[in-house]
Amino acid sequence: MTKQTLSFQAEVAQLLHLVTHSLYSNKEIFLRELISNASDACDKLRFEAINDSGLYESDPELQVKLAFDKDAKTLTITDNGIGMSAQEAIDHLGTIAKSGTKDFVSKLSGDQKADSQLIGQFGVGFYSGFIVADKITVESRRAGMKENEGVRWVSGGAGDFEVETITRAARGTSVILHLRDDALEYASAWKLKDIVNKYSDHISLPILMEKEEWKEGELINPSDENGGRQPGGMVKTGEWETVNQATALWTRPKKDVSDEQYTEFYKAISHDFEAPLTWTHNRVEGSTEYTQLLYIPGKAPMDLWNRDKKAGIKLYVKRVFIMDDAEALLPTYLRFVKGVVDSADLPLNVSRELLQESRDVKAIRDGCAKRVLSMLEDLAKHDKLPEAAADAEGVTDVVSDEDKAKAGKYTRFYTEFGAVLKEGLGEDFANKDRLAKLLRFASTTSDSVSVSLADYKARMKDGQDAIYYITADTLAGAKNSPQLEVFKKKGIEVLLMTDRVDEWALNFLNDFDGTPMQSVAKGAVDLGKLQDETEKKAAEEAAEALKPLLAKLKEALKDKAEDVRLTTRLVDSPACLVVQDAGMSMQLARMLKQAGQAAPEVKPVLEVNAEHALVKKLDGSVHFHDLAHILFDQALIAEGGLPDDPAAYVKRVNALLA
Ligand code: ADP
Ligand code: MG
């Protein structure tokens, strides 16, 4: 192939522009990205060589070499991994294959800080080289291809790149960065070692640099020992040394890994700029042996809600990298967890299909899910700082460092991931009880999402035999719902749920610790022992007296309401809508419709408040028909819905107002 010039995919060109402008403040990550690519390339070679050991040619020691040339202003990262064919160089370095690229680029705002966050999450990878280089040359030969089938790829990082065929004896890839004038500091041994130490120490591959030694300058004037010498300098010795630890981080004993190293490893595997919230690192022994290193990120990724999003677990088998995003290793509701699992038992040639069926994998998945839950339980336990207790002499307990470090983390976790965790109620029956304890809600006594079901139970009134909750689109909607009136009057706490998944998830939670969960918008309200006898009696009498009115209302609203009945749940409002006990809530039906999904037609029950002036006025009114419809439509509006025929509603109200 003779030299040809090709254009970058439009998104790449856009991304490149942003990379060089937004990541400026965090330049040095380019090295982490390029070393990570080199390491991936070696992983791929090792993986392909499982079935074809010839791919190693005569060069089985996989490694990465860093070399710089101060005079030429270049920094070169060379690996002897899988390499690239010409077509692969065009495909992989000219386009971004990742799904959601367009979407991602469209989210970038031009705000440097916000963008670098997003770019970090997305992972700019190879293109980060352009932060420090105004030109990048890549030379490569794919393992197994002939020497004259090498490729050279060159680009200035603007709209296009050049490719041509070259002869290259060495297998693998060299990325040659032509450093910008303001990035010449990277052509220095100590600077490179410093960055490797910070970001790439955990890479299991040796990273080599040529040893340098100090050389005195030449003596110009032998009679003048001190003044007559040229300045000295570092010179290369031709000897290569390993500058990283070169052992996979997760294989090291916990005590040998610092928090900082755990954090950098997390950043490297997750492409997150921020530190993780917490992690757990264990060797699991028993019938299935594996090592797990699992992290909970500090922030939810932008595609958290995509249930097809791959879990962030990398699978290794006996240190050999097998695959990214091994979704079989964690249940879907824990898809936000990042980390590594290294199994001693799985076969090296394991495929995704095989993973789904393997009993070892099932044991690993169960083990990982349990670990994540333990980690969360621990954070939940330490969320609030213990009250500093003073003893008799007035000496206050010192809050431990561990307590301080963990305080507030569960709240942070729950804000980011609480809603996803709830999916677990429907997905992970074995851990349902543990999950239920981890849930937090707002309530009529707490605006913040901090009430656990156990807190709620501890505050239940004497004679209360259910945990009451309401679901709504917004907190304000939930709080001001007419259905809550009687609960407020009696001082009974009600959980306010506003996450989209709540309605669905609560289907799977019939009770907590023996106490039933009861939606206040479903079924007839039965306050049981909380209702006093005189109230009960008054209600029964009213029901008898208003029978004819209810029958008339039912007839007038027969197309809209399943039934019309009296209720004691209302105090200030004339009417509200509820659904039958087993029915789908109106809110869920609305949500499904908005999402374009088939939802059953939910015909609610209209409940009226016999004590309300408007209801008292109904009987015998000449406007009975209009009032009946207004009553219904208002109840619908009050709970966040819209009348079927809004114009008709407005007309009716206006007619009465006039
Ligand atoms: P990612 O690593 O997330 O796939 P990058 O932008 O870092 O994205 O790299 C893009 C692709 O270019 C890689 O997936 C790989 O196919 C190819 N590539 C980059 N560097 C190398 C390398 N040193 N050896 C072989 N292939 C490479
Ligand atoms: Mg990469």
Side-chain angles (χ1 to χ4, degrees):
M1 184 166 83
T2 51
K3 195 186 272 186
Q4 49 173 300
T5 303
L6 297 168
S7 296
F8 282 119
Q9 181 193 25
E11 285 83 26
V12 175
Q14 252 173 304
L15 192 62
L16 273 170
H17 181 81
L18 284 156
V19 164
T20 43
H21 291 84
S22 300
L23 293 184
Y24 210 68
S25 54
N26 199 3
K27 276 190 200 164
E28 60 194 26
I29 59 139
F30 82 91
L31 193 62
R32 173 184 79 192
E33 293 299 328
L34 297 180
I35 291 179
S36 131
N37 283 352
S39 164
D40 291 348
C42 291
D43 280 343
K44 280 181 205 154
L45 177 67
R46 208 180 277 134
F47 184 65
E48 284 191 20
I50 294 171
N51 295 318
D52 180 6
S53 61
L55 291 177
Y56 281 120
E57 300 171 8
S58 56
D59 184 14
E61 303 288 329
L62 298 178
Q63 60 189 26
V64 183
K65 281 181 165 174
L66 302 182
F68 60 88
D69 182 334
K70 269 205 168 85
D71 299 328
K73 300 184 185 173
T74 58
L75 169 61
T76 304
I77 297 106
T78 301
D79 66 71
N80 56 356
I82 192 75
M84 281 177 273
S85 66
Q87 191 56 47
E88 284 170 330
I90 293 172
D91 291 344
H92 297 155
L93 305 180
T95 59
I96 303 180
K98 263 183 235 180
S99 63
T101 304
K102 266 213 178 78
D103 197 38
F104 160 74
V105 170
S106 73
K107 282 208 176 88
L108 297 170
S109 61
D111 172 54
Q112 212 204 334
K113 205 164 166 244
D115 284 353
S116 66
Q117 271 285 340
L118 278 180
I119 292 175
Q121 281 188 15
F122 189 75
V124 280
F126 172 77
Y127 301 111
S128 62
F130 286 106
I131 307 172
V132 296
D134 47 22
K135 182 172 120 181
I136 300 181
T137 305
V138 177
E139 294 181 355
S140 190
R141 176 172 69 78
R142 202 182 197 286
M145 293 181 78
K146 298 197 198 81
E147 290 198 356
N148 62 4
E149 292 176 323
V151 59
R152 178 181 293 125
W153 178 104
V154 184
S155 175
D160 50 27
F161 58 89
E162 283 173 5
V163 265
E164 63 183 312
T165 307
I166 58 166
T167 295
R168 179 179 159 100
R171 171 196 75 224
T173 304
S174 295
V175 176
I176 303 153
L177 303 172
H178 304 269
L179 296 171
R180 293 174 192 273
D181 281 337
D182 60 2
L184 293 177
E185 58 189 309
Y186 297 106
S188 124
W190 73 262
K191 182 79 187 175
L192 293 173
K193 280 184 194 168
D194 186 46
I195 307 178
V196 167
N197 180 18
K198 189 157 154 202
Y199 296 119
S200 306
D201 211 24
H202 59 269
I203 296 268
S204 55
L205 218 55
I207 300 171
L208 304 178
M209 282 179 63
E210 200 175 334
K211 254 192 188 157
E212 289 182 316
E213 61 187 23
W214 178 258
K215 192 164 172 279
E216 290 283 355
E218 295 290 322
L219 215 49
I220 303 168
N221 178 0
S223 64
D224 178 5
E225 239 321 287
N226 298 319
R229 218 174 248 285
Q230 298 239 321
M234 299 299 284
V235 294
K236 305 237 162 83
T237 61
E239 232 181 285
W240 291 80
E241 62 175 340
T242 303
V243 296
N244 64 334
Q245 288 214 29
T247 59
L249 178 126
W250 64 91
T251 62
R252 298 183 211 156
K254 262 193 230 186
K255 64 173 176 32
D256 295 348
V257 185
S258 68
D259 284 359
E260 213 181 355
Q261 286 169 323
Y262 277 122
T263 299
E264 286 309 327
F265 182 66
Y266 164 77
K267 289 183 184 173
I269 59 168
S270 67
H271 294 292
D272 194 347
F273 275 31
E274 275 181 44
L277 199 60
T278 187
W279 60 83
T280 182
H281 180 195
N282 314 283
R283 257 197 76 78
V284 182
E285 282 164 15
S287 57
T288 311
E289 288 194 8
Y290 59 97
T291 300
Q292 57 185 188
L293 172 53
L294 306 172
Y295 292 90
I296 295 182
K299 277 237 157 59
M302 52 190 173
D303 55 352
L304 179 67
W305 286 105
N306 178 2
R307 275 185 57 91
D308 297 332
K309 175 187 160 57
K310 300 286 167 57
I313 306 291
K314 288 178 188 287
L315 174 66
Y316 286 75
V317 172
K318 299 184 196 78
R319 319 271 181 287
V320 177
F321 172 76
I322 305 295
M323 68 178 79
D324 270 320
D325 308 328
E327 64 272 8
L329 298 181
L330 268 180
T332 309
Y333 75 97
L334 296 178
R335 59 188 173 277
F336 53 86
V337 174
K338 308 272 182 198
V340 168
V341 165
D342 191 340
S343 156
D345 302 319
L346 293 172
L348 279 168
N349 59 1
V350 64
S351 65
R352 279 184 200 272
E353 293 67 42
L354 222 78
L355 278 184
Q356 301 294 347
E357 289 148 23
S358 153
R359 280 180 49 198
D360 285 320
V361 169
K362 187 167 179 328
I364 294 175
R365 179 173 52 224
D366 291 347
C368 287
K370 289 214 167 78
R371 269 294 165 185
V372 173
L373 294 182
S374 312
M375 191 157 48
L376 295 177
E377 284 159 358
D378 185 52
L379 289 188
K381 199 172 103 193
H382 290 90
D383 198 38
K384 291 199 190 74
L385 271 182
E387 307 253 329
D391 66 15
E393 274 119 65
V395 180
T396 337
D397 270 348
V398 180
V399 180
S400 75
D401 287 346
E402 190 198 354
D403 283 338
K404 275 190 213 152
K406 287 180 182 168
K409 282 194 172 172
Y410 193 68
T411 300
R412 272 176 64 199
F413 162 78
Y414 205 82
T415 311
E416 297 290 324
F417 303 108
V420 195
L421 197 67
K422 289 176 190 163
E423 292 176 11
L425 294 176
E427 191 185 343
D428 188 356
F429 297 112
N431 290 310
K432 199 157 90 178
D433 290 346
R434 292 178 75 177
L435 281 165
K437 287 186 187 138
L438 287 169
L439 301 181
R440 297 292 181 269
F441 301 100
S443 85
T444 44
T445 57
S446 159
D447 269 356
S448 70
V449 180
S450 60
V451 180
S452 71
L453 294 173
D455 293 340
Y456 182 101
K457 265 196 85 163
R459 291 200 286 257
M460 273 174 31
K461 292 253 184 247
D462 270 348
Q464 182 180 347
D465 47 19
I467 295 172
Y468 293 106
Y469 69 90
I470 185 165
T471 55
D473 295 335
T474 62
L475 190 61
K479 253 176 150 172
N480 299 322
S481 163
Q483 276 121 349
L484 292 189
E485 288 170 3
V486 70
F487 294 90
K488 281 186 194 154
K489 185 175 145 197
K490 292 189 174 291
I492 302 169
E493 186 173 12
V494 176
L495 299 174
L496 309 174
M497 306 192 180
T498 52
D499 276 333
R500 287 175 144 249
V501 303
D502 285 329
E503 172 85 31
W504 175 85
L506 265 286
N507 273 330
F508 299 96
L509 193 68
N510 295 324
D511 69 288
F512 173 74
D513 195 13
T515 307
M517 303 287 300
Q518 174 64 49
S519 163
V520 301
K522 277 189 183 174
V525 63
D526 175 16
L527 291 178
K529 295 174 207 136
L530 291 170
Q531 203 165 25
D532 60 50
E533 284 307 315
T534 45
E535 277 175 344
K536 249 187 215 167
K537 209 147 164 253
E540 276 159 22
E541 282 170 17
E544 198 47 44
L546 290 183
K547 246 188 184 158
L549 173 68
L550 295 179
K552 262 172 83 183
L553 275 174
K554 202 171 162 180
E555 176 56 27
L557 297 171
K558 65 175 186 285
D559 294 337
K560 289 177 169 171
E562 174 78 31
D563 194 10
V564 180
R565 65 187 179 215
L566 282 187
T567 182
T568 52
R569 81 174 91 213
L570 298 173
V571 179
D572 302 321
S573 303
C576 69
L577 298 177
V578 296
V579 295
Q580 306 287 32
D581 240 334
M584 181 184 277
S585 83
M586 307 199 39
Q587 193 218 357
L588 182 59
R590 265 202 304 280
M591 251 162 55
L592 287 174
K593 255 192 212 151
Q594 276 165 13
Q597 293 188 33
E601 211 41 59
V602 181
K603 240 182 163 187
V605 175
L606 181 73
E607 292 194 342
V608 296
N609 175 3
E611 299 298 312
H612 198 277
L614 183 54
V615 176
K616 287 183 173 161
K617 236 167 111 177
L618 262 177
D619 214 7
S621 166
V622 285
H623 301 294
F624 179 84
H625 187 80
D626 283 342
L627 282 173
H629 281 272
I630 289 173
L631 206 59
F632 182 94
D633 286 347
Q634 282 187 342
L636 188 58
I637 292 169
E639 70 128 69
L642 252 191
D644 282 342
D645 185 351
Y649 167 74
V650 172
K651 235 188 214 158
R652 284 191 179 114
V653 172
N654 285 348
L656 286 175
L657 288 174

